[in-house]
């Protein structure tokens, strides 16, 4: 049964696939299938397979060859793409509203009917090998992955999404089919769309192209990562500049403290030039071009990181300034005005990002997958408004007392 929840229409197919629509006035429609399967769901000997599956979904189905998959929407002026994270795989498309049905059909075809031909699989492995080499030449990306490996050591979260060449070379079509059968289950799928599409047309499309799929349930659960002692590691990369990541385990998606940490993260090192760390390191002391803080919540844990780069002889000065800023936020409550400005800034950034229909659609898909609901913009504002100075201090004290670090020199 279709239900209207504020600005969203939701519909659940008999096989368990959940569908959600936001109607907007636009000539363009964005849609995606979010699947609760990522690199975290790989078993021994499968490292990199989630990302490999995502790549080879486009390499042929029971009724299309690879070039037909790639040209189906592109010839209409649209596009289809995909990405893999630690916990999700997302296939998403952008088309004119009149081609919405074609996008739904193609997404269903590559997710439910891909064949993974061995010849195409080997070619795509070569593409991923090149991607791995590019990643190795990008220290700003590589340091994050290596930090995660250390922070989640011994866990499925503690390995790179791309995998390693030696392991990928051993994977074959049958392995990919087994991974999909185990993880691409209908109870872990959400189809989301934003566009000028009527609920009737939306339901008709998902019923036609997803409704005949047999229901399935994910049977293999995830294990909460064991606690890792704080670490401090330095690696010689023979670079002109130092790159450093500081961080710690953080809160899961369902933790009530998550919203306060989101606000604190934005206050310290968000995109604004007025963020505390940017002002302290760049504006006042001209020590760095880049400093940022990121909070990544996961289903049962999370990660908070602080990244900066600087000249080698400025490393200790940067560390001292950063520590002073973190200590200040742990011990000195924000004034009423400081907190008001932080909230206003975050709400403004959120409102602007919500105007990006593609990004918003992807967020809707993940939220509906994890929570079974999507907060309205007004609800997000309400949650932010409830945060007080003590909430910020409590989160800072809980997380920032003992940070781990990884530094490339």
């Amino acid at each position: 049964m279709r239900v209207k929840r504020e600005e969203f229409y939701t519909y659940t197919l008999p096989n368990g696939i959940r569908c959600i629509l936001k109607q907007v006035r636009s000539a363009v429609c964005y849609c995606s299938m979010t699947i609760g399967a990522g690199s975290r769901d790989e078993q021994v000997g499968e490292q990199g397979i989630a990302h490999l599956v995502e790549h080879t979904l486009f390499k042929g189905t029971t009724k299309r060859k690879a070039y037909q998959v790639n040209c189906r929407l592109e010839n209409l002026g649209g596009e289809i793409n995909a990405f893999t994270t630690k916990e999700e795989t997302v296939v998403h498309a952008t088309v004119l509203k009149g081609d919405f049905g074609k996008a739904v059909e193609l997404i269903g075809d590559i997710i439910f009917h891909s064949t993974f031909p061995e010849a195409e699989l080997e070619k795509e492995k070569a593409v991923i090998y090149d991607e791995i080499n590019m990643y190795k030449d990008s220290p700003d990306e590589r340091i994050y992955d290596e930090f995660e490996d250390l922070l989640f050591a011994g866990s499925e979260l503690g390995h790179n999404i791309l995998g390693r060449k030696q392991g990928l070379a051993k994977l074959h079509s049958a392995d990919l089919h087994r991974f999909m059968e185990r993880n691409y289950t209908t109870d872990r799928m959400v189809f989301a769309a934003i566009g000028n599409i009527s609920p009737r047309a939306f339901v008709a499309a998902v019923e036609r192209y997803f409704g005949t799929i047999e229901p399935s349930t994910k049977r293999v659960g995830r294990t909460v990562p064991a606690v890792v002692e704080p670490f401090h590691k330095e690696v010689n990369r023979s670079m002109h500049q130092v790159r450093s990541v500081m961080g710690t385990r953080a809160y899961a998606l369902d933790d009530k403290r998550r919203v306060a940490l989101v606000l604190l993260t934005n206050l310290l090192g968000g995109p604004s030039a007025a963020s505390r760390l940017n002002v302290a390191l760049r504006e006042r002391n001209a020590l760095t071009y880049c400093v940022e803080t990121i909070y990544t919540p996961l289903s049962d844990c999370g990660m908070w990181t602080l990244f900066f780069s600087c000249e080698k002889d400025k490393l200790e000065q940067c560390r001292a300034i950063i520590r002073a800023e973190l200590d200040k936020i742990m011990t000195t409550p924000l004034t009423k005005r400081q907190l008001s400005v932080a909230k206003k800034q975050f709400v403004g950034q959120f409102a602007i990002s919500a105007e990006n229909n593609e990004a918003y659609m992807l967020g809707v898909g993940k939220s509906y997958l994890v929570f079974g609901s999507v907060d309205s913009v007004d609800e997000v504002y309400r949650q932010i408004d409830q945060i007080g100075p003590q909430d910020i201090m409590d989160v800072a004290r809980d997380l920032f007392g003992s940070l781990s670090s990884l530094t490339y020199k």
Side-chain angles (χ1 to χ4, degrees):
M1 180 178 68
R2 186 176 74 248
V3 181
K4 185 174 182 179
R5 296 179 179 173
E6 298 177 348
E7 70 258 47
F8 298 101
Y9 288 89
T10 64
Y11 182 81
T12 300
L13 290 164
N15 57 22
I17 297 176
R18 288 168 285 167
C19 308
I20 183 166
L21 166 70
K22 178 179 173 64
Q23 290 180 285
V24 297
R25 292 181 179 273
S26 175
V28 179
C29 180
Y30 303 90
C31 56
S32 68
M33 182 73 87
T34 302
I35 304 140
S39 61
R40 185 179 185 178
D41 301 292
E42 297 165 351
Q43 296 181 348
V44 176
E46 290 184 336
Q47 289 188 6
I49 195 171
H51 179 251
L52 181 60
V53 165
E54 174 236 305
H55 268 240
T56 47
L57 285 173
F58 299 86
K59 298 305 174 181
T61 70
T62 53
K63 70 176 185 179
R64 287 185 172 97
K65 295 186 181 297
Y67 75 89
Q68 293 173 317
V69 171
N70 292 327
C71 292
R72 175 59 171 160
L73 299 185
E74 277 75 359
N75 287 349
L76 302 172
E79 60 181 32
I80 187 167
N81 211 331
F83 62 88
T84 307
T85 71
K86 296 281 186 176
E87 295 193 326
E88 296 94 27
T89 301
V90 181
V91 179
H92 56 102
T94 304
V95 291
L96 296 175
K97 65 178 182 180
D99 296 321
F100 173 69
K102 297 180 178 67
V104 181
E105 186 275 331
L106 183 60
I107 288 174
D109 191 31
I110 65 175
I111 290 176
F112 299 114
H113 306 295
S114 282
T115 55
F116 306 119
E118 288 288 352
E120 293 290 344
L121 181 58
E122 292 306 310
K123 287 192 290 185
E124 205 57 30
K125 286 180 186 178
V127 172
I128 294 177
Y129 297 160
D130 186 60
E131 187 177 357
I132 291 172
N133 290 335
M134 289 177 62
Y135 148 80
K136 289 180 177 179
D137 286 336
S138 178
D140 289 3
E141 294 183 23
R142 186 174 183 178
I143 194 170
Y144 274 108
D145 284 332
E146 290 196 15
F147 183 81
E148 286 185 33
D149 292 351
L150 294 169
L151 195 66
F152 295 108
S155 160
E156 295 84 357
L157 288 168
H159 66 261
N160 186 282
I161 291 174
L162 299 179
R164 299 178 182 273
K165 295 179 183 179
Q166 301 92 318
L168 292 171
K170 299 176 182 178
L171 296 174
H172 297 283
S173 177
D175 300 308
L176 275 62
H177 281 291
R178 280 192 293 269
F179 179 84
M180 288 192 71
E181 183 178 359
R182 191 175 76 240
N183 294 291
Y184 278 48
T185 53
T186 56
D187 68 320
R188 297 293 295 162
M189 293 183 177
V190 165
F191 181 77
I194 292 182
N196 195 5
I197 308 296
S198 71
R200 179 178 296 180
F202 178 72
V203 170
V206 297
E207 284 186 338
R208 179 177 181 182
Y209 298 117
F210 305 151
T212 58
I213 303 302
E214 290 295 317
S216 53
T217 304
K218 190 169 184 174
R219 297 182 177 87
V220 180
R222 293 165 174 167
T223 303
V224 179
V227 175
V228 174
E229 290 297 316
F231 56 86
H232 303 282
K233 184 177 180 181
E234 295 189 351
V235 180
N236 185 6
R237 296 287 186 199
S238 300
M239 299 183 302
H240 292 292
Q241 276 198 325
V242 168
R243 272 87 166 174
S244 186
V245 170
M246 306 164 64
T248 184
R249 296 273 187 91
Y251 308 130
L253 282 162
D254 61 354
D255 195 303
K256 293 181 179 179
R257 297 167 293 179
R258 178 174 64 94
V259 179
L261 180 54
V262 168
L263 183 61
L264 175 56
T265 301
N266 196 64
L267 170 70
L268 284 171
S272 170
S275 69
R276 287 198 168 196
L277 291 172
N278 191 69
V279 170
L281 290 175
R282 178 174 177 169
E283 300 303 324
R284 290 178 186 160
N285 295 287
L287 293 173
T288 182
Y289 173 74
C290 178
V291 57
E292 64 179 7
T293 51
I294 298 174
Y295 166 43
T296 306
L298 300 169
S299 58
D300 55 10
C301 60
M303 178 176 65
W304 185 88
T305 56
L306 187 163
F307 170 86
F308 68 94
S309 59
C310 65
E311 298 300 318
K312 294 181 180 181
D313 61 345
K314 305 298 184 184
L315 175 60
E316 293 308 320
Q317 186 180 358
C318 285
R319 285 174 170 169
I321 292 173
I322 289 169
R323 188 67 262 173
E325 289 296 323
L326 296 181
D327 288 344
K328 186 186 301 181
I329 207 76
M330 292 168 61
T331 58
T332 306
L334 296 176
T335 66
K336 184 177 181 179
R337 182 180 182 279
Q338 287 172 332
L339 186 57
S340 176
V341 169
K343 290 178 178 180
K344 178 65 175 177
Q345 182 186 72
F346 179 82
V347 166
Q349 291 171 353
F350 180 82
I352 292 171
S353 68
E355 292 295 313
N356 181 334
N357 282 337
E358 181 177 33
Y360 190 58
M361 176 268 302
L362 295 174
V364 165
K366 179 170 181 176
S367 180
Y368 201 49
L369 174 68
V370 174
F371 299 110
S373 63
V374 181
D375 287 339
S376 66
V377 173
D378 288 341
E379 174 61 19
V380 172
Y381 294 170
R382 187 192 66 80
Q383 292 177 23
I384 292 295
D385 188 56
Q386 289 183 336
I387 296 172
Q390 191 62 47
D391 299 315
I392 298 293
M393 286 182 63
D394 288 345
V395 167
R397 289 172 177 172
D398 186 38
L399 298 181
F400 299 161
S402 180
L403 299 177
S404 297
S405 65
L406 172 63
T407 303
Y408 284 178
K409 290 186 171 181

